[in-house]
Amino acid sequence: MSLSNLFATINDKDLLAIAKKVENNERISIEDGIILYEKGELGFVSSLANYIREKKHGLNTYFNRNFHIEPTNLCLYTCSFCSYSRLIKQRSEGWEYTMEEMMDMVKAYDNQPVTEVHIVGGVLPQYDVKFYTEFFRKIKEHRPELHIKALTPVEYHYMFKKAKLSYEEGMQIMAEAGLDSMPGGGAEIFDEAIRKDIAGGKCSSEEWLSIHEIWHKMGKKSNATILYGHIETFAHRIDHLNRLRDLQDRTGGFQTFIPLKFRNKDNQMAHVPEVSVIEDLRNYAISRIFLDNFDHIKAYWPMIGRNVAQLALSCGVNDIDGTIDDTTKIYSMAGSEEQNPSMSTHDLVTLIKRVGKVPIERDTLYNVINDFTDFQNEEDKQFKGYLSLPVLN
Ligand code: V47
Ligand code: SF4
């Protein structure tokens, strides 16, 4: 595999220099990253990103079987991009599940081959260290092999402060109760001024990074996200990626990077237009090129929609999250085209195959559970082109 055909089409010396770095497996600089955002057309950045993706993973594309639990949509914080949270004064529009209700949600999957529960929601005082440790223990007692991917530094920072625990003590207690890994949420954008504007009051960028670093040093894994496409600049995006790349150099504990597109329905930033699909795809591609020490880049289909998720698989992305089973409200409430996000394993396999990639079912830690390379169903035998999926809402 070589990029020489691409080199012949590049007139810009800065872009040519970046393409050569990528071919030579050299890290690109912060300045290079900004140049890619400013001057890199989609065709160019996606060629580089796909080159890296195929070197790392070939055509393999990962997904898992998972479901979400969102304990509450009431929240003490008031992030201006959030369409999901209802302030405590709007309690009538919100939900606050009890431990029993949430255990019933876990038990509803008793006979299904899910491997992961993803738990995240608003921040409220009653959901504290005692509550969550008891909840994690109950899940593990009931179904020990179910991977618990739960809560973010936003919740942990708040809970540990209230319980007068250091981050080290707190994360140790969580691990002992059954926490297996941390999802990537709450990162938003690390630039302090923009973060204050859109997510003021919750944990700082430094605190977010510090909790992940402590968790990684315990030998555990986590994910990372960026919330992009609102009031940030390209330089802010690269600054965010660079802080993640630095931490990953020190710990190697991040598994997957998940760019999250700002959706503007029913929130305080509804006046900010959403970026185009071309920008979404460029952003996946540039993330893949810049984050040379991250193995996986995920297109989270409930947020971006399944058609764009398919396109992203040729722009550096090699993971599309899981079956979800209509258990998250964060993105449907923010205006995603996926209003009831749920895909069967068959849907996910078909989605991946129809763009010429190889579906691999994984667990949260990327152990292979099922390789669908040779899977062919009746519909696929008839398949003559890149049609929309019949399962589209
Ligand atoms: O932190 C909230 C984002 C995140 C909006 O680790 C919004 O596998 C866009 O982190 N527009 C939570 N984004 C979700 C999350 C996540 C999702 C899927 C997989 C993983 C993983 C993690 O959702 C929040 C925030 O950044 N968010 N509102 C909105 N209007
Ligand atoms: Fe609360 Fe999270 Fe929404 Fe911010 S993004 S208001 S912390 S639920």
Side-chain angles (χ1 to χ4, degrees):
M1 206 173 9
S2 133
L3 284 170
S4 43
N5 287 346
L6 179 68
F7 292 168
T9 66
I10 308 170
N11 298 319
D12 184 291
K13 72 172 181 15
D14 295 330
L15 294 179
L16 185 60
I18 294 171
K20 289 197 166 150
K21 282 189 187 175
V22 170
E23 191 176 47
N24 296 331
N25 215 7
E26 269 174 56
R27 174 165 280 190
I28 70 163
S29 66
I30 291 178
E31 294 69 34
D32 293 335
I34 295 172
I35 289 169
L36 285 180
Y37 272 122
E38 284 176 347
K39 300 203 274 191
E41 299 294 342
L42 176 59
F44 173 75
V45 292
S46 64
S47 299
L48 294 185
N50 196 47
Y51 170 82
I52 301 168
R53 180 236 209 264
E54 291 195 2
K55 259 191 7 186
K56 278 184 188 275
H57 303 286
L59 299 175
N60 287 356
T61 299
Y62 295 93
F63 69 94
N64 70 352
R65 296 195 217 203
N66 63 351
F67 64 101
H68 288 227
I69 295 181
E70 296 176 350
T72 180
N73 69 339
L74 300 175
C75 189
L76 296 173
Y77 300 116
T78 52
C79 303
S80 46
F81 57 83
C82 183
S83 319
Y84 166 84
S85 114
R86 297 288 177 269
L87 284 174
I88 296 179
K89 59 186 179 212
Q90 297 169 293
R91 235 177 180 128
S92 59
E93 295 172 35
W95 64 81
E96 288 163 87
Y97 294 129
T98 62
M99 183 96 59
E100 288 65 37
E101 284 171 318
M102 294 200 284
M103 278 312 293
D104 286 344
M105 294 174 193
V106 173
K107 288 173 189 167
Y109 290 89
D110 274 0
N111 297 314
Q112 295 185 40
V114 290
T115 56
E116 171 192 283
V117 54
H118 179 158
I119 304 167
V120 75
V123 179
L124 279 189
Q126 72 265 34
Y127 296 105
D128 57 7
V129 172
K130 184 170 172 298
F131 182 92
Y132 277 119
T133 49
E134 201 179 322
F135 183 38
F136 296 167
R137 283 206 171 90
K138 278 185 192 290
I139 296 175
K140 289 291 180 185
E141 270 162 32
H142 182 73
R143 192 164 174 175
E145 78 290 355
L146 187 66
H147 183 108
I148 302 180
K149 182 172 89 177
L151 313 184
T152 72
V154 177
E155 290 96 328
Y156 290 127
H157 168 78
Y158 173 82
M159 281 160 39
F160 298 160
K161 203 165 160 206
K162 213 163 136 265
K164 299 194 171 39
L165 293 168
S166 68
Y167 292 161
E168 284 84 355
E169 290 164 339
M171 293 316 291
Q172 195 60 46
I173 288 170
M174 291 294 148
E176 282 160 15
L179 178 70
D180 292 302
S181 70
M182 247 198 300
E188 321 313 357
I189 196 94
F190 291 145
D191 176 83
E192 277 73 13
I194 305 281
R195 188 176 185 84
K196 189 159 175 253
D197 245 28
I198 66 169
K202 67 187 193 187
C203 78
S204 68
S205 308
E206 217 178 290
E207 288 160 346
W208 191 98
L209 290 160
S210 164
I211 290 179
H212 279 267
E213 181 157 8
I214 288 162
W215 184 242
H216 295 172
K217 287 185 173 158
M218 289 165 58
K220 306 288 192 177
K221 297 290 183 188
S222 67
N223 290 340
T225 57
I226 182 173
L227 178 71
Y228 72 93
H230 42 88
I231 56 169
E232 88 290 2
T233 63
F234 292 147
H236 294 139
R237 288 192 210 171
I238 288 293
D239 166 63
H240 190 96
L241 297 183
N242 192 48
R243 295 195 209 191
L244 291 173
R245 192 170 74 174
D246 279 352
L247 176 52
Q248 181 75 333
D249 277 343
R250 292 201 297 281
T251 66
F254 286 121
Q255 301 204 102
T256 312
F257 180 64
I258 310 140
L260 296 171
K261 174 193 186 130
F262 164 66
R263 311 298 316 235
N264 69 2
K265 189 175 160 217
D266 286 342
N267 56 44
Q268 295 168 59
M269 289 168 74
H271 58 284
V272 177
E274 292 182 0
V275 296
S276 68
V277 167
I278 293 177
E279 188 57 17
D280 295 326
L281 297 174
R282 273 178 11 104
N283 193 62
Y284 285 119
I286 296 168
S287 304
R288 168 60 85 192
I289 299 164
F290 194 87
L291 292 176
D292 57 352
N293 53 5
F294 275 63
D295 283 342
H296 307 288
I297 306 287
K298 184 192 285 187
Y300 183 53
W301 67 265
M303 176 269 298
I304 203 78
R306 49 194 95 179
N307 282 347
V308 180
Q310 281 180 307
L311 290 168
L313 296 181
S314 300
C315 301
V317 166
N318 69 302
D319 189 297
I320 55 168
D321 204 83
T323 43
I324 312 280
D325 202 21
D326 198 13
T327 48
T328 174
K329 293 278 169 279
I330 299 180
Y331 286 100
S332 50
M333 289 170 85
S336 165
E337 30 296 276
E338 303 286 348
Q339 283 301 297
N340 299 99
S342 182
M343 276 209 258
S344 64
T345 302
H346 173 274
D347 295 338
L348 276 165
V349 167
T350 309
L351 180 144
I352 294 166
K353 284 204 116 161
R354 287 202 171 178
V355 285
K357 307 288 190 253
V358 174
I360 309 279
E361 185 192 343
R362 61 164 174 86
D363 66 11
T364 312
L365 302 176
Y366 288 84
N367 298 303
V368 174
I369 297 197
N370 275 307
D371 181 333
F372 288 92
T373 309
D374 300 322
F375 176 84
Q376 208 185 25
N377 57 32
E378 281 311 307
E379 282 163 38
D380 285 337
K381 285 184 196 148
Q382 311 292 323
F383 173 54
K384 298 280 188 311
Y386 292 87
L387 304 173
S388 288
L389 284 177
V391 289
L392 269 176
N393 289 329

